[in-house]
Amino acid sequence: MKTIIITGATSGIGAATARRFSQAGYRVIITGRSMSRLTALQKELGATCKALPFDVRDAEAAGRALKSLPADWQEIDILVNNAGLALGLEPEYEGSLQDWETMIDTNIKGLLIMTRLIVPKMVARGEGHIINIGSVAGDTAYRNGAVYCATKAAVQSLTDGLRIDLVETPIRVSLLKPGLVETNFSQTRFHGDQQRAANVYKGITPLTADDIADAALYCAQAPAHVQIAEMLVLATNQANGYTIHREG
């Protein structure tokens, strides 16, 4: 039975990915900052799920958590770097320094920390798969979203660079780039403003977290000689990060 670890698994894409891989017969390690949410998901998934509460921005806490795993859970086959967020939607010259730091530390540094902690063991064993959750926002900046877009552009570069660095190994590296996905993403971005968050998805049928979980499973279950390097997943009425057709 293969083991997968998913960061940011307390809700949204992370939680959906945990459920999908559990259903497919994987052992699942879920991580996040909310122990109550992790515990609820762990109970739902049963004995083949373990919860590790830590913040991906804290390298020492992440390292301690991974070392606490039972010996037979230590060999991680798949790393899904999902933890990430957007905060604020203001012009770059008016943005919040605190919001910027949180996005950069989570979206970029958190991914690097988990990669550094887990991938060397994959290299030593000669097997493994890293799936990074990027965004269509990493392709081109959009109005008032420059810093978030920059963090996702960094995810693209870091994923491409890791794939290059691992090209002489059997380890695969995949980048998933979702478009509009209706989760709590926008509520987080707008600091709990539910009406403003709802307007993001108004007039369009957005993707769901399950759609992205399906894409992650597809990447993971491709034959060993097949590497899904990059997958862009958009709602049908979305052409790119800023071209969207809305009914009404």
Side-chain angles (χ1 to χ4, degrees):
M1 182 180 290
K2 290 188 174 183
T3 302
I4 180 173
I5 186 168
I6 304 161
T7 66
T10 56
S11 64
I13 291 171
T17 301
R19 293 186 179 99
R20 186 66 83 244
F21 274 80
S22 179
Q23 291 165 0
Y26 291 76
R27 295 194 303 186
V28 178
I29 303 167
I30 51 176
T31 84
R33 292 179 297 168
S34 172
M35 188 59 196
S36 61
R37 291 184 180 182
L38 290 176
T39 299
L41 183 56
Q42 182 182 32
K43 288 180 179 178
E44 176 188 336
L45 299 183
T48 56
C49 176
K50 290 196 179 297
L52 292 181
F54 64 87
D55 189 328
V56 294
R57 297 175 294 178
D58 187 335
E60 291 186 4
R64 286 195 302 270
L66 291 171
K67 288 179 182 178
S68 74
L69 288 167
D72 59 338
W73 286 72
Q74 291 280 343
E75 292 189 357
I76 294 170
D77 299 287
I78 303 170
L79 164 62
V80 178
N81 279 311
N82 166 73
L85 75 170
L87 291 171
L89 193 67
E90 302 88 16
E92 187 174 336
Y93 57 87
E94 294 180 349
S96 161
L97 288 172
Q98 183 176 352
D99 284 352
W100 294 351
E101 288 178 357
T102 300
M103 285 189 284
I104 291 168
D105 288 350
T106 306
N107 300 359
I108 301 175
K109 293 182 181 178
L111 179 148
L112 284 169
I113 287 168
M114 295 302 294
T115 300
R116 183 65 182 84
L117 289 171
I118 291 174
V119 175
K121 295 179 181 179
M122 292 181 174
V123 174
R125 295 198 317 272
E127 61 180 343
H129 193 171
I130 302 94
I131 302 174
N132 290 336
I133 307 299
S135 171
V136 64
D139 289 344
T140 306
Y142 56 73
R143 188 179 183 91
N144 297 336
V147 176
Y148 173 69
C149 292
T151 66
K152 289 304 184 178
V155 171
Q156 168 101 41
S157 293
L158 292 170
T159 305
D160 291 345
L162 182 62
R163 191 181 306 111
I164 293 166
D165 291 343
L166 293 170
V167 72
E168 296 177 352
T169 78
I171 298 168
R172 300 182 293 181
V173 183
S174 302
L175 176 66
L176 294 184
K177 302 195 299 186
L180 280 175
V181 184
E182 189 168 11
T183 62
N184 62 352
F185 174 89
S186 291
Q187 289 189 37
T188 299
R189 165 168 251 172
F190 298 127
H191 301 282
D193 186 333
Q194 295 187 5
Q195 182 57 53
R196 195 175 180 193
N199 286 337
V200 173
Y201 312 105
K202 189 174 181 179
I204 186 172
T205 302
L207 301 169
T208 69
D210 287 339
D211 296 326
I212 308 308
D214 287 340
L217 185 62
Y218 177 82
C219 291
Q221 293 191 330
H225 71 286
V226 176
Q227 179 172 220
I228 309 298
E230 184 174 313
M231 187 185 297
L232 175 64
V233 187
L234 301 175
T236 299
N237 292 122
Q238 179 178 15
N240 53 36
Y242 52 85
T243 306
I244 300 168
H245 171 71
R246 301 178 188 273
E247 296 293 338

